[in-house]
Amino acid sequence: MPFCPEEILFSPTENCNLSCLHCTNVKSKTILSKNIAKRFLVDCKKIGIDRVGFTGGEPFLAIDFLCDISRTAAKEEFLFDRVMTNGVWYKNISDLGGKLRKLFDAGYDGSICVSVDAFHRQSPGKVARFIKAASDLSGRPDIVSIACVRGALESSTKKKIKTIAALLGGCLTGFKTNHPHIKTEKFFIKIYNIELSPIGRASVLKDPWDGRWFKEDYCKGPGNVFFITSSGDVKPCCGYASDLALMTIGNIRKDSPDRLMKKFREKRLVCAIFNTGLARLRSKLIKEGVVFPGKTSNHCFFCRYIMTEVPKCVLEKCIK
């Protein structure tokens, strides 16, 4: 199952108005060049990539970038995926409405996903105002979804989402099922669960070795994207290991999409992850004498673990 990027995921800035416990992001006010990003976007369309999304940092702190890229994407007939946001970046109602209108006027017609859980210390009232404004200005009752980290502090997360639901005039349904949502007369908000990778400051929150091995999916979930940081570095996924230098396959300031695909094939580790699979790599590591602290169902955590804890010489031997 070879690496085949299906989306460009821009992270135009690492700047953010929040400081969340589980976040490994290093804040910076650097913003990715709009012209370089637009050129890369057009080149990606030529090789068959037709979807684009935005994340961060907080992408609304780079609103001019969002709008410029959205105009080009709309002109080139890209499909919009989503903007990931904390939903509380705005200073006041005028600031909120002005920037949302600017984005929609630029041609953006994708969805908006708000990260809401116990780790994001937002005001539920401010999140609810964001959801109302986005829905009203877009004319879409389902434009906003919610993503929440599961695996730690779940009771606090549920309480927070229930508060937001009440402020919107509805209730939270099916929090522990595969189809949780908030439904009101005006809104329908899907809720997506993201498994916690307890790394960095979040390492004290949960034992990640939960007794069962992850299911091999060749990183289809977070992967098969060109994930582009504010420096222009390109990663093959947006998972919890994407901040590591070993995951960098190039930079859009100097590399075309074709060149990035060539560089990907030259990067033996990322080739092994996406083309051979983490499960097979795990088996090779065990044969080389690597003893893991346990089994983990979280493939993002496992990926980061082998890059930071396994001796480099052993890892390189297993990816030959």
Side-chain angles (χ1 to χ4, degrees), residues 55 81 95 128 151-152 158 166 168 194 196 201 291:
T55 185
D81 187 3
D95 184 38
K158 183 177 180 181
L168 294 172
I194 300 173
L196 172 68
R201 293 180 298 157
V291 179

Side-chain angles (χ1 to χ4, degrees), residues 149-206:
V149 167
R150 302 288 297 274
L153 308 180
E154 287 190 30
S155 60
S156 296
T157 293
K158 183 177 180 181
K159 182 179 179 180
K160 187 172 184 178
I161 296 176
K162 286 178 72 174
T163 300
I164 292 169
L167 290 168
L168 294 172
C171 61
L172 171 62
T173 302
F175 185 71
K176 291 188 176 181
T177 72
N178 292 327
H179 305 286
H181 62 273
I182 296 171
K183 186 175 182 180
T184 76
E185 290 184 359
K186 290 187 63 177
F187 311 103
F188 183 81
I189 302 166
K190 290 183 179 179
I191 299 173
Y192 300 96
N193 297 324
I194 300 173
E195 187 174 8
L196 172 68
S197 277
I199 58 177
R201 293 180 298 157
S203 60
V204 299
L205 295 173
K206 172 195 168 187

Side-chain angles (χ1 to χ4, degrees), residues 7 38 46 73 81 86 130 161 164-165 193 255 267 275:
E7 179 178 356
K38 285 189 287 187
K46 295 174 184 176
D81 187 3
N86 60 50
F130 176 86
I161 296 176
I164 292 169
N193 297 324
D255 296 316
K267 287 270 189 174
N275 295 350

